[in-house]
Amino acid sequence: MKDIARQQMSIKVESMDMLNAQIQMEGKASASYLAMASWCDQRGYTGSADFMYQQAAEEREHMMKIFKFVNDCGGNAISPEVANINHDFSSLEEVFETALTQEIEVSKSINRIVASARKNSDFGVENFMQWFVTEQLEEEKSIRDILDLFELMGRDGIALKLIDERIKAA
Amino acid sequence: MSSMERIHSSQYYTFFQSDKERCFYIDLGQKLVRLSFCQLLSLRQKVWGITIEHHFDEEVNPHGLEILTLCNREHLFVLNTLEILDLKALLSDVFFVLGIAAQTPSLTSKI
Ligand SMILES: [Fe+2]
Ligand SMILES: [Fe+2]
């Protein structure tokens, strides 16, 4: 019996399933950042809005990167359905807190893929995901740094304006 | 057809590979369906996407039936709850035997 299936696909189906779930997660993160961008834009926080638009674009790039990888490995990448995006925030700080929570969830999910790939000896997947491990550390840090600004500068109108300008510079 | 090799059988279904045609066949009782590798992947994803709990919910799925379309809607099958579960078990074993799944709960539990 020939190894027809293995010749067609170089990753394990378990990895493919997890990567498809990750595609969904990155797609949802992108849409979620877009909702945050809208909230900031409407309230004149243009620096924060730019930051969120930028994040939305990056999340889409992450999604595409995984999408291509799954197909390149002979798998079947699935275009995600994104629903239930939250558009309601009570403050600028809450927007960034939500962003950090979301990034932490993504980091956990990526770590689970790496752990599972290692357990299943799916080393190509483990290796591919390393880039995302590093990326997540950077993403978490950049949002944590912004949240520190609220501690440093306070939360009144002037402080928020200054924080927003600092974010633009970053 | 003579080059077909039986890979695995479940209670209702049998799965074959044809080295010569570089494809797979699944005997679904009513019909023998030819599957390319990507059609096989897509069948697996369709079956995995079925929420079997809905079969026990009178309001969501009162008849406990599932319509399965295969090979870009070339084939259409109506399967009941037991058949879906059996097909799911078959596919999970098949992917293990084919060497592209890390684990299969049903095969290892039989050993
Ligand atoms: Fe991401
Ligand atoms: Fe991110």
Side-chain angles (χ1 to χ4, degrees):
Chain A
M1 189 179 102
K2 284 187 192 157
D3 254 350
I4 295 171
R6 178 59 186 81
Q7 286 168 9
Q8 300 273 343
M9 187 162 98
S10 44
I11 59 175
K12 298 270 183 354
V13 282
E14 287 88 350
S15 299
M16 180 182 73
D17 292 342
M18 291 183 99
L19 291 170
N20 269 319
Q22 194 60 38
I23 288 169
Q24 161 87 34
M25 204 173 193
E26 302 288 345
K28 180 147 192 182
S30 178
S32 176
Y33 274 125
L34 216 44
M36 294 177 194
S38 196
W39 191 96
C40 297
D41 228 348
Q42 283 164 21
R43 282 153 189 85
Y45 297 122
T46 50
S48 304
D50 287 350
F51 178 86
M52 294 302 172
Y53 282 123
Q54 172 75 31
Q55 292 297 311
E58 276 182 25
E59 298 306 343
R60 193 183 151 78
E61 273 172 36
H62 297 166
M63 182 187 94
M64 296 304 291
K65 207 173 169 132
I66 303 170
F67 200 92
K68 274 291 286 167
F69 177 78
V70 170
N71 282 337
D72 286 348
C73 292
N76 187 13
I78 294 175
S79 183
E81 281 175 39
V82 176
N84 299 322
I85 301 300
N86 175 40
H87 287 76
D88 300 326
F89 304 97
S90 59
S91 67
L92 186 62
E93 190 177 12
E94 194 192 297
V95 173
F96 283 99
E97 274 170 359
T98 309
L100 183 58
T101 307
Q102 180 176 290
E103 287 299 340
I104 292 170
E105 285 308 312
V106 171
S107 300
K108 283 183 187 166
S109 172
I110 281 164
N111 288 347
R112 277 195 295 271
I113 299 176
V114 174
S116 155
R118 187 173 299 171
K119 196 185 95 206
N120 295 335
S121 302
D122 213 350
F123 300 120
V125 173
E126 185 189 349
N127 192 44
F128 169 73
M129 290 309 288
Q130 289 304 332
W131 182 87
F132 287 88
V133 172
T134 314
E135 173 72 9
Q136 279 314 113
L137 293 177
E138 286 169 15
E139 301 243 272
E140 280 188 39
K141 183 192 182 296
S142 74
I143 300 172
R144 228 179 357 250
D145 286 349
I146 292 170
L147 282 168
D148 285 345
L149 293 177
F150 290 89
E151 291 301 323
L152 277 167
M153 300 166 83
R155 289 154 182 96
D156 60 34
I158 305 277
L160 293 179
K161 191 80 203 115
L162 289 171
I163 291 170
D164 187 57
E165 277 167 17
R166 283 279 287 273
I167 292 167
K168 190 191 280 178
Chain B
M1 292 292 259
S2 55
S3 66
M4 258 169 51
E5 191 175 338
R6 194 187 73 89
I7 301 278
H8 194 66
S9 295
S10 61
Q11 195 178 345
Y12 306 130
Y13 311 119
T14 301
F15 191 89
F16 304 91
Q17 174 175 312
S18 165
D19 281 5
K20 208 169 134 204
E21 296 175 61
R22 298 188 62 80
C23 74
F24 307 94
Y25 285 90
I26 184 163
D27 184 351
L28 287 168
Q30 323 156 37
K31 215 191 262 178
L32 185 69
V33 180
R34 183 185 194 273
L35 297 165
S36 67
F37 178 72
C38 61
Q39 287 168 335
L40 173 63
L41 271 187
S42 122
L43 167 63
R44 176 183 173 278
Q45 280 164 335
K46 274 182 192 158
V47 173
W48 259 239
I50 294 170
T51 315
I52 210 75
E53 288 76 20
H54 289 173
H55 287 224
F56 303 97
D57 188 326
E58 274 292 314
E59 276 175 24
V60 188
N61 190 340
H63 305 291
L65 295 174
E66 212 66 56
I67 296 168
L68 202 65
T69 54
L70 292 185
C71 310
N72 299 316
R73 310 210 177 110
E74 199 184 309
H75 307 283
L76 191 144
F77 296 92
V78 179
L79 303 184
N80 66 31
T81 311
L82 289 177
E83 290 166 336
I84 289 290
L85 289 172
D86 191 59
L87 183 57
K88 206 170 177 176
L90 174 85
L91 289 173
S92 110
D93 291 348
V94 158
F95 275 87
F96 181 74
V97 178
L98 291 177
I100 48 171
Q103 54 228 348
T104 168
S106 71
L107 261 190
T108 41
S109 66
K110 275 179 213 154
I111 295 164

